[in-house]
Amino acid sequence: MKVHRIDHVGVIVQDLPAAKDFFIELGLEVLGEAEVEGEWVERIIGLTDVKETVVMLGMPDGEATLELVKFHTPSDENGMQPSFSNTLGIRHIAFAVQDIESIVAKLKKKGAELVGEIQNYENAYKLCYIRGPEGIILELAEKIN
């Protein structure tokens, strides 16, 4: 028995177009889009009356995949809940980037906001958290020569 790699990370969103545009602006590429429903998916995820739209996004190097999912039914009765960097559960997705300042400026024009600020970590990395649509937190990491 062996685990090969992480296949993808799934993010459930309400505003699929905004989330998709945000990740495209970051540099990901659309690999595919599909409407998903039926007993087969209901049996996998343990919900009934499932109707969802799925967008698969990939990194330009092909190494990682991100799945954005918009559930049309059933809906989340609680809606979006505010979260903080220390809220329990999966909290952020980290991306290795080049030119962190330019990326942050570009994403801020799309409505993203820095959670804290860009910091130099031991002259090895520039790091920051940035919050995008749906409250999604990204960690951006730029390796310093």
Side-chain angles (χ1 to χ4, degrees):
M1 191 167 105
K2 177 181 171 184
V3 174
H4 295 284
R5 62 182 163 73
I6 293 176
D7 184 73
H8 69 274
V9 173
V11 180
I12 310 305
V13 299
Q14 184 66 25
D15 187 345
L16 185 59
K20 177 181 162 185
D21 289 345
F22 177 74
F23 284 104
I24 289 171
E25 192 71 23
L26 181 62
L28 279 71
E29 301 167 348
V30 176
L31 302 176
E33 297 186 38
E35 300 296 321
V36 178
E37 63 183 299
E39 185 179 327
W40 70 273
V41 72
E42 293 171 1
R43 293 182 68 176
I44 293 169
I45 64 175
L47 296 172
T48 58
D49 192 31
V50 172
K51 291 184 176 107
E52 62 186 25
T53 304
V54 176
V55 176
M56 295 301 289
L57 299 161
M59 300 299 297
D61 66 7
E63 286 295 316
T65 307
L66 183 68
E67 175 187 46
L68 300 178
V69 181
K70 159 67 174 154
F71 276 89
H72 303 287
T73 60
S75 61
D76 181 348
E77 297 169 3
N78 297 321
M80 286 297 301
Q81 301 295 313
S83 66
F84 302 94
S85 300
N86 66 341
T87 301
L88 298 177
I90 296 173
R91 197 51 46 222
H92 71 273
I93 304 168
F95 289 89
V97 300
Q98 182 179 355
D99 195 0
I100 195 169
E101 288 88 357
S102 292
I103 291 172
V104 167
K106 188 167 142 179
L107 294 176
K108 284 174 85 173
K109 287 180 184 174
K110 290 287 192 173
E113 60 186 39
L114 277 171
V115 173
E117 55 189 56
I118 299 172
Q119 286 292 296
N120 181 319
Y121 174 72
E122 297 185 355
N123 287 321
Y125 285 93
K126 290 181 186 178
L127 301 168
C128 73
Y129 273 19
I130 191 162
R131 187 183 308 271
E134 310 279 332
I136 297 167
I137 298 173
L138 302 183
E139 178 181 357
L140 303 180
E142 178 181 354
K143 189 169 183 151
I144 299 172
N145 300 333

